Amino acid sequence: MAVSNQQNGSAEAPIDLANPTVVGINFGNSYASISVLNKQGNPDCIANEDGERQIACAVSFHGEEIYIGNQAKHQLVKNAQNTITGFRNLLGKKFSQIDTSKPTTSAPVIEHPEQPDTAAYKVQILQSAPLPLPASTTTTQQNTPLASRVATPRSEPTPATRILSVSEVTTIFIKSLLQSAEDFLGKKVQGAVITVPAWFTSEQKKALEDAATEAGVSVLQLLEEAGAAAVAVLSNPTAPASTTTSLSGDRTQLVVDLGSSALALSLLSIRQGLIHSLATLSDHTLGGDAIDSKLIKFFAKEFTKKTKIPLTVAPAPADSKQDQRAEAKLRLAVEHTKRTVSASSGAATCSVESLKDGIDYTGSINRMRFDMEVRNVYAGVGEQVKTLVSSAGLDLFDVDEIVYVGGSASLPGLDEHLAGIGFREDIVTPFSSGSVVGGGVGDPTTLLSRGAVVQAKLLAGLGESSEEEKEVKAAFHEKLENWTGVKVTSKSIGLVFPETSAEGQEENALGGQWIPLVLRETVLPCRRTVRFGVEVGEEGKVGFELWQVDESIKITLEKPPKFEPEDGEPEEEDEEEEEDIEVKDRIISKDELLGAALLESKKARNKKTTLEVQILIAEDGKVDVSASEVGGEKVTLAVPPIGA
Amino acid sequence: MAHIVELSVVPPPLRSDWTPPQSTGKSIAPLVERRLIPAGSAYLAHVKRAVHNLSFEEHDKHAEEERKRLEALYGNGTNGEDDLGVGDEEETEDLLSLDPKEWKKQDHYAVLGLSHLRYRATDEQIKIAHRKKVLKHHPDKKAGVAGETNDDAFFKCIQKAMEVLTNSERRRQFDSVDPHYESLEDEVPTEKEVKSAKDPNSYFFKSFGPVFEREARFSKKQPVPLLGEYNDGKEQVEGFYDFWYNFDSWRSFEYLDKEVNEGSDSRDDKRYTEKKNKSERARRKKEDTARVRQLVDLTLGLDPRIKRIKQEEKEAREAKKKGKTGGANGVSAKQKAEEEKKKAEEEAKKKEEEEKVARAEAKKAKAAAANAAKKARRAARADGADA
Ligand SMILES: Nc1ncnc2c1ncn2[C@@H]1O[C@H](COP(=O)(O)OP(=O)(O)OP(=O)(O)O)[C@@H](O)[C@H]1O
Ligand SMILES: [Mg+2]
């Protein structure tokens, strides 16, 4: 098969565009995941050979063995000094830029003895003595010792020290991800899109790209995490159309990424597939680790209650090796507890063999208790969400959709909490649309890698045969200023169809039916075409005005509906404490009249006709609108460019 | 094409006193600078338009042309990858409920859907078969499917089979004891069967031919002379028996070794098992060599060609004798007639044989056609289920 013999990235042979052999990699600081394209060309997150879809970013050295992934994580209990974690966040940083003062629970970062100011790790390994025979004789696979090899006894492996730079560790790890993907696909991977946090600097990106290239991955793009999330959601054919904005595909999306060590928030404006960020924020005090600490404390207390053995954790006292080890064991164990809480509403258990003094421990926690224990984390996320949205000059009510990313965002308690902080009632979240459970399209733990592979598929199809094609391809790489810098509208523009207000009815602020055409935050140049039915008046005429509008959210306080206590006993104090409920409404008011047009209807039936309206706004702000009955004569109107 | 959004609002009739207001000449509000995230097909379209300096309409046209070009290049996105004849074997209940812990006992070829190829399967075919099975049985594909209890047992069997068949040494060991052929080994025709057959001659070739074809795979020397046919010359027949009496087989029996109990610390225990395994292998090998020898003995004993050759030689000797006594011009009329008669007989027989072969061929073709039809039906059913 010609393709599989091809070197990565040099694919001249026609790539199967419907299903190129590409992967999407979500490379977090604590977990990674891989997605590939299935037969239908849709993204699927795959499990590695250990059956894990969330693959721990950990590399552990134990004697002659190297463990990678979740197995390596388990080495943190007994072999912490030779177990490397947290390396992603150190990529591209100089040793002097890294804070090494904090105690670590894994192999400490040191300065590379040979490469100045390079961050590295030192691990103890067992080195097998070199074979007495030249290496060229070993032609068969290693897992079956050849008869001849058995006959030549090897000398015992000897202890040795190995220094690995952060980049080298990353390469080892990415290589194993690639291997898992290729084992699954049965083909060589032709290219990959890898996700990176929004705060990654260009040094960090470069270090990651180099490490990945070293691992044999042809990097198609390093994609910002929020972008990968949006692409995953947008590419989902079964997604519910945004129910509230009349222009489908246009929405304001909040991406909530709650990982292990941090919360990352992005508020995105999506306008017919074009994505730009309105505001971002990150908080390194919130995340799975913080949740773990709360849970560990909870279970340690329970353990002490049950056994009368004192146990202090999170943090464990520096002078108690026993408590430290107990904490490490609990940290591993609550991983399972958390996943159970996310997956089902029943109680979740936590079991640790020989937690302390040789005593085994099994405890359990139910959903309610869990949410109570970690409510500070939920509340912290809620507060940051409010901060983010108001920093963009918007109200929570303006958000159309929430997308969850990151393992800790799988917790339904978080979504429940956010639902109560002031979003619209009909806001779309993966929990409200039921797409989280059972590895659905909204699954926060797989979303990033799925988005990445969708993007990889797009990039795999790009040619490089002309200067223009090369330029198009380059627009997905670093130094994108050429094409990512854009201008957007600051106010929404649409049509008003003047109507006679019905008697007794409050005068509509716009004086007619409002049909938005181009929402604020739309990238220019833009084109929108809409089609809709119109009732035709007595004279067979259809007329409209083109308006630019202001939008705001009006908040009115309403008394909550009173619940009369059944038995007539008035509940005291409580009653006056009852807070008013905020009721929000979107207010649209006229800002600027941009033009108007009148059309003679020639095709009306039963006093109704269908109108097609197209609006074009050029980069300089020039607006052209044309309207016609479908297949009929056009009327046009134009608005001069800004500053003309 | 421009994307047209259908709206469900229906504006009411125009206010009767409305006239279009005078244009104010105003422009839209000042623009704001933003940075796009370089992701998604809309961004690609945005860049293409900008790089090629196209209007929306020109871009529409471009996109349409590109779509047509790709369709012509790749067909409708379907690419018929050649599976090198691996095909899709039916998976029986028994097969799917194999226990990976008992992997040594499984038929690795059947697990990968290669029962029809076995030792003949090339490395490439094995790879393709494996990929097909993985795509079908990867635990990932099953998770969440109703009724499937996230059971990856068969997947593990697949991985084991792959492990064995892609390692040439381990594959050789397995091929040595391929359960499919083990069961056939007992089906060697007996002397009685041959002798009591309606046409012992043709029965002999029909029944022993495949046996030797089968056994030939074990030969270190390739190609291997096969049984051949009735009219083979003396040299050929002798060559055949010569080869098979000196049959040099790579067959060995490590695969049937008892597991060395790694758990036990007792070195004696380990050594004992190893010793026992070694002697078992040797015993089996000896038995196998004897088996092949017996087979060749039996075949030689029943081979109608031996009689024929002996007869021919005798006749040749007699002819020679007669020639010596009867002068240089040699062959008597009677002898000539006899020879002619024999020739005719042989011709008739040959014709009959040929017809038989043709019939068999026709039957085979028919079976193949039926098989293909079955496959197509199965595929159609699978498609239907997908839809
Ligand atoms: N189903 C689940 N329910 C609750 N928590 C989970 C679940 N799955 C994973 N987690 C937690 O999510 C965290 C890992 O999330 P993620 O993979 O997004 O982190 P990351 O991207 O590697 O880290 P970071 O973004 O902080 O650098 C861990 O704390 C893990 O325990
Ligand atoms: Mg993350």
Side-chain angles (χ1 to χ4, degrees):
Chain A
M1 306 216 321
V3 179
S4 61
N5 292 333
Q6 198 121 47
Q7 200 147 34
N8 266 345
S10 70
E12 288 272 295
I15 295 176
D16 176 6
L17 283 184
N19 248 333
T21 321
V22 290
V23 296
I25 297 175
N26 154 36
F27 183 29
N29 192 43
S30 39
Y31 287 94
S33 58
I34 319 163
S35 283
V36 301
L37 297 170
N38 62 20
K39 263 192 195 149
Q40 291 76 38
N42 295 323
D44 264 345
C45 180
I46 62 167
N48 68 359
E49 39 301 323
D50 297 329
E52 302 278 356
R53 250 183 226 94
Q54 295 183 57
I55 304 160
C57 298
V59 178
S60 181
F61 295 83
H62 185 251
E64 287 180 278
E65 307 269 356
I66 301 186
Y67 297 109
I68 296 170
N70 303 40
Q71 287 193 38
K73 215 180 151 195
H74 282 267
Q75 293 282 318
L76 282 172
V77 175
K78 287 192 176 150
N79 187 26
Q81 288 300 306
N82 295 316
T83 303
I84 301 171
T85 61
F87 47 90
R88 193 218 47 190
N89 284 358
L90 304 185
L91 262 178
K93 285 192 180 160
K94 294 200 174 7
F95 176 70
S96 52
Q97 293 173 315
I98 295 169
D99 175 14
T100 48
S101 62
K102 269 185 278 170
T104 54
T105 52
S106 57
V109 182
I110 58 159
E111 181 168 5
H112 200 291
E114 281 130 45
Q115 300 160 26
D117 212 10
T118 301
Y121 302 93
K122 184 160 89 182
V123 292
Q124 301 301 323
I125 59 163
L126 284 180
Q127 205 158 37
S128 47
L131 286 176
L133 293 171
S136 62
T137 55
T138 57
T139 45
T140 30
Q141 297 196 355
Q142 302 130 312
N143 53 358
T144 38
L146 264 183
S148 67
R149 249 213 241 165
V150 176
T152 6
R154 293 196 289 164
S155 39
E156 284 296 303
T158 51
T161 302
R162 195 169 164 194
I163 306 280
L164 295 123
S165 68
V166 168
S167 296
E168 284 169 339
V169 174
T170 306
T171 297
I172 291 175
F173 183 74
I174 292 182
K175 213 181 238 172
S176 89
L177 295 182
L178 184 70
Q179 187 63 49
S180 299
E182 292 189 342
D183 285 351
F184 178 86
L185 293 165
K187 287 186 199 172
K188 265 243 161 318
V189 167
Q190 293 168 314
V193 168
I194 306 178
T195 61
V196 290
W199 46 265
F200 244 41
T201 63
S202 42
E203 285 81 39
Q204 288 171 298
K205 286 186 198 167
K206 173 153 193 330
L208 172 56
E209 182 158 2
D210 288 349
T213 309
E214 188 63 28
V217 177
S218 153
V219 180
L220 297 169
Q221 187 185 15
L222 298 181
L223 178 59
E224 184 178 332
E225 288 174 339
V231 166
V233 172
L234 290 178
S235 70
N236 169 27
T238 62
S242 185
T243 45
T244 45
T245 49
S246 52
L247 301 180
S248 72
D250 288 353
R251 47 187 128 162
T252 303
Q253 187 182 72
L254 171 68
V255 180
V256 177
D257 178 345
L258 194 59
S260 56
S261 62
L263 164 74
L265 298 176
S266 300
L267 189 62
L268 305 177
S269 164
I270 299 177
R271 298 289 181 257
Q272 291 206 345
L274 282 176
I275 310 157
H276 67 268
S277 170
L278 298 171
T280 61
L281 174 160
S282 59
D283 181 336
H284 289 268
T285 64
L286 298 169
D289 295 346
I291 292 174
D292 289 350
S293 296
K294 307 242 183 237
L295 279 185
I296 289 169
K297 276 192 184 149
F298 171 82
F299 284 122
K301 228 189 263 164
E302 294 281 301
F303 173 74
T304 305
K305 228 191 269 169
K306 217 165 166 178
T307 61
K308 306 282 176 285
I309 301 170
L311 174 58
T312 316
V313 293
D319 57 356
S320 170
K321 272 249 152 3
Q322 248 203 331
D323 284 6
Q324 281 170 19
R325 184 171 285 193
E327 172 167 343
K329 284 184 175 177
L330 276 171
R331 271 199 195 277
L332 287 176
V334 295
E335 190 69 48
H336 171 75
T337 316
K338 289 195 295 182
R339 292 188 195 199
T340 313
V341 168
S342 299
S344 66
S345 53
T349 59
C350 167
S351 341
V352 180
E353 241 175 72
S354 173
L355 181 57
K356 192 176 178 182
D357 294 351
I359 306 282
D360 296 349
Y361 172 70
T362 297
S364 84
I365 188 167
N366 63 22
R367 254 290 292 285
M368 211 158 81
R369 189 65 210 253
F370 180 93
D371 286 342
M372 230 166 79
E373 289 298 322
V374 305
R375 68 176 180 276
N376 281 345
V377 177
Y378 296 162
V381 175
E383 285 313 307
Q384 294 290 26
V385 165
K386 286 184 194 164
T387 310
L388 174 88
V389 174
S390 62
S391 79
L394 294 179
D395 189 280
L396 293 179
F397 201 78
D398 290 314
V399 179
D400 301 303
E401 182 181 29
I402 303 179
V403 172
Y404 291 112
V405 176
S408 308
S410 309
L411 292 165
L414 177 66
D415 184 64
E416 276 163 28
H417 176 81
L418 292 185
I421 67 169
F423 287 107
R424 278 207 313 265
E425 243 168 65
D426 60 354
I427 189 161
V428 177
T429 88
F431 289 93
S432 73
S433 53
S435 65
V436 174
V437 281
V441 288
D443 184 347
T445 64
T446 62
L447 198 73
L448 289 184
S449 64
R450 281 186 283 122
V453 78
V454 169
Q455 176 80 351
K457 177 182 177 183
L458 183 75
L459 296 180
L462 296 184
E464 269 186 311
S465 50
S466 68
E467 281 309 308
E468 278 102 345
E469 283 189 348
K470 278 184 193 149
E471 180 143 20
V472 169
K473 204 164 180 178
F476 289 87
H477 271 281
E478 274 269 52
K479 310 220 173 55
L480 311 148
E481 289 78 8
N482 281 352
W483 309 115
T484 53
V486 289
K487 292 200 174 117
V488 304
T489 55
S490 55
K491 293 185 178 187
S492 298
I493 293 163
L495 305 178
V496 172
F497 286 81
E499 61 184 326
T500 327
S501 54
E503 226 164 294
Q505 206 176 313
E506 214 176 306
E507 174 77 38
N508 179 327
L510 292 170
Q513 174 71 49
W514 165 245
I515 293 185
L517 292 179
V518 175
L519 298 187
R520 60 181 159 176
E521 294 290 344
T522 295
V523 176
L524 300 185
C526 80
R527 172 182 59 180
R528 296 288 188 272
T529 314
V530 293
R531 191 183 282 174
F532 50 91
V534 183
E535 285 182 52
V536 179
E538 292 303 324
E539 289 111 88
K541 285 189 172 142
V542 176
F544 58 82
E545 298 164 359
L546 182 69
W547 279 93
Q548 177 168 282
V549 298
D550 281 318
E551 286 156 280
S552 60
I553 304 299
K554 190 174 98 187
I555 301 174
T556 42
L557 296 179
E558 279 184 12
K559 288 254 169 281
K562 281 233 176 341
F563 296 107
E564 287 296 329
E566 292 272 308
D567 47 12
E569 284 285 320
E571 272 182 53
E572 286 139 49
E573 279 115 295
D574 278 8
E575 219 149 284
E576 60 211 79
E577 293 285 318
E578 200 128 41
E579 275 180 39
D580 289 341
I581 300 176
E582 286 188 349
V583 177
K584 298 185 178 182
D585 278 303
R586 179 183 299 276
I587 304 295
I588 296 171
S589 55
K590 286 175 171 172
D591 174 54
E592 201 77 72
L593 177 68
L594 298 172
L598 189 63
L599 195 101
E600 302 274 346
S601 171
K602 302 222 169 82
K603 310 200 169 200
R605 277 202 188 163
N606 297 331
K607 298 214 169 295
K608 221 178 126 181
T609 187
T610 304
L611 213 60
E612 194 173 292
V613 179
Q614 181 171 85
I615 181 169
L616 277 161
I617 308 181
E619 249 168 312
D620 58 6
K622 183 176 185 294
V623 183
D624 284 294
V625 176
S626 69
S628 66
E629 291 181 284
V630 172
E633 231 168 273
K634 274 184 187 159
V635 293
T636 60
L637 69 91
V639 178
I642 296 170
Chain B
M1 255 313 284
H3 176 65
I4 299 176
V5 179
E6 306 262 354
L7 304 178
S8 54
V9 282
V10 180
L14 187 62
R15 205 169 68 211
S16 50
D17 61 348
W18 185 83
T19 49
Q22 279 298 307
S23 166
T24 56
K26 287 258 169 61
S27 300
I28 62 170
L31 305 179
V32 184
E33 304 221 335
R34 297 286 188 211
R35 187 153 297 282
L36 284 177
I37 297 179
S41 49
Y43 175 73
L44 176 59
H46 165 80
V47 174
K48 277 187 175 166
R49 269 195 324 264
V51 168
H52 296 276
N53 200 11
L54 300 174
S55 68
F56 282 101
E57 255 154 55
E58 287 165 335
H59 181 253
D60 287 346
K61 228 168 88 190
H62 243 128
E64 178 63 17
E65 277 165 16
E66 178 72 0
R67 195 187 59 73
K68 280 194 183 137
R69 187 183 70 85
L70 290 177
E71 206 176 270
L73 200 59
Y74 298 105
N76 262 332
T78 50
N79 75 333
E81 209 173 301
D82 185 6
D83 75 351
L84 302 179
V86 170
D88 290 298
E89 284 183 3
E90 205 158 343
E91 294 169 340
T92 62
E93 274 303 309
D94 281 353
L95 191 69
L96 292 176
S97 54
L98 282 173
D99 181 355
K101 283 201 230 59
E102 303 274 310
W103 66 270
K104 269 224 150 183
K105 291 189 191 136
Q106 80 187 19
D107 178 346
H108 300 306
Y109 288 114
V111 167
L112 289 188
L114 289 167
S115 305
H116 61 298
L117 291 169
R118 301 206 163 262
Y119 68 92
R120 284 185 299 266
T122 64
D123 287 351
E124 207 51 58
Q125 284 170 324
I126 291 172
K127 250 189 240 161
I128 290 169
H130 177 246
R131 195 183 314 142
K132 281 190 180 191
K133 290 289 172 186
V134 166
L135 286 175
K136 192 160 167 201
H137 294 284
H138 195 280
D140 244 29
K141 316 257 145 151
K142 291 193 164 181
V145 176
E148 304 267 15
T149 46
N150 210 357
D151 176 15
D152 61 351
F154 189 63
F155 179 69
K156 287 186 179 144
C157 294
I158 292 168
Q159 297 303 70
K160 269 292 168 202
M162 187 62 179
E163 216 177 287
V164 171
L165 296 184
T166 49
N167 177 312
S168 55
E169 175 55 22
R170 294 180 72 183
R171 185 176 177 193
R172 186 185 66 73
Q173 292 177 5
F174 175 70
D175 280 344
S176 291
V177 294
D178 186 332
H180 172 73
Y181 294 108
E182 297 251 284
S183 62
L184 284 180
E185 249 159 47
D186 304 333
E187 288 176 24
V188 171
T190 62
E191 189 173 346
K192 206 169 132 207
E193 276 166 1
V194 177
K195 287 198 166 141
S196 60
K198 240 205 233 129
D199 180 353
N201 237 354
S202 79
Y203 184 84
F204 171 83
F205 288 101
K206 219 172 59 196
S207 57
F208 277 100
V211 175
F212 282 94
E213 269 169 44
R214 209 156 71 208
E215 296 292 334
R217 74 187 195 278
F218 290 126
S219 176
K220 281 186 189 163
K221 244 186 281 168
Q222 295 284 353
V224 177
L226 296 178
L227 186 59
E229 50 175 20
Y230 182 76
N231 286 314
D232 283 342
K234 181 180 169 189
E235 217 165 283
Q236 243 168 319
V237 175
E238 268 177 358
F240 172 80
Y241 284 105
D242 216 33
F243 185 95
W244 283 92
Y245 271 121
N246 295 301
F247 193 67
D248 190 4
S249 158
W250 50 255
R251 193 175 195 194
S252 69
F253 296 90
E254 294 91 336
Y255 197 87
L256 305 177
D257 280 357
K258 286 246 160 25
E259 290 291 329
V260 174
N261 189 356
E262 293 290 354
S264 94
D265 289 331
S266 153
R267 297 185 108 198
D268 289 344
D269 196 21
K270 219 164 137 181
R271 218 175 281 153
Y272 173 77
T273 316
E274 268 165 14
K275 211 170 130 198
K276 185 121 189 261
N277 278 339
K278 219 168 145 192
S279 66
E280 272 297 287
R281 281 184 221 160
R283 182 185 63 76
R284 289 205 168 95
K285 178 76 184 170
K286 213 166 128 194
E287 265 179 26
D288 190 55
T289 314
R291 182 186 62 85
V292 176
R293 205 188 172 84
Q294 265 168 26
L295 170 69
V296 183
D297 280 343
L298 178 67
T299 314
L300 181 65
L302 294 169
D303 194 336
R305 293 175 299 188
I306 305 297
K307 219 162 122 196
R308 192 205 82 213
I309 290 167
K310 273 193 187 137
Q311 178 70 27
E312 275 170 11
E313 280 177 347
K314 196 173 143 205
E315 277 165 10
R317 264 198 314 276
E318 270 167 17
K320 220 171 173 183
K321 232 189 268 162
K322 261 197 194 130
K324 259 182 198 152
T325 49
N329 69 344
V331 191
S332 72
K334 190 185 161 211
Q335 217 173 343
K336 219 174 188 169
E338 216 164 5
E339 229 158 72
E340 225 118 51
K341 190 179 152 216
K342 203 165 151 203
K343 225 182 196 165
E345 252 172 30
E346 260 165 36
E347 227 129 49
K349 194 181 254 157
K350 206 165 158 194
K351 212 167 153 199
E352 192 189 322
E353 208 85 56
E354 268 164 14
E355 262 164 19
K356 206 181 263 164
V357 169
R359 247 178 286 137
E361 214 79 327
K363 203 168 150 194
K364 241 194 234 162
K366 209 167 141 194
N371 218 359
K374 200 161 129 204
K375 231 184 249 172
R377 250 178 288 133
R378 214 181 297 142
R381 236 179 295 140
D383 278 351
D386 278 349

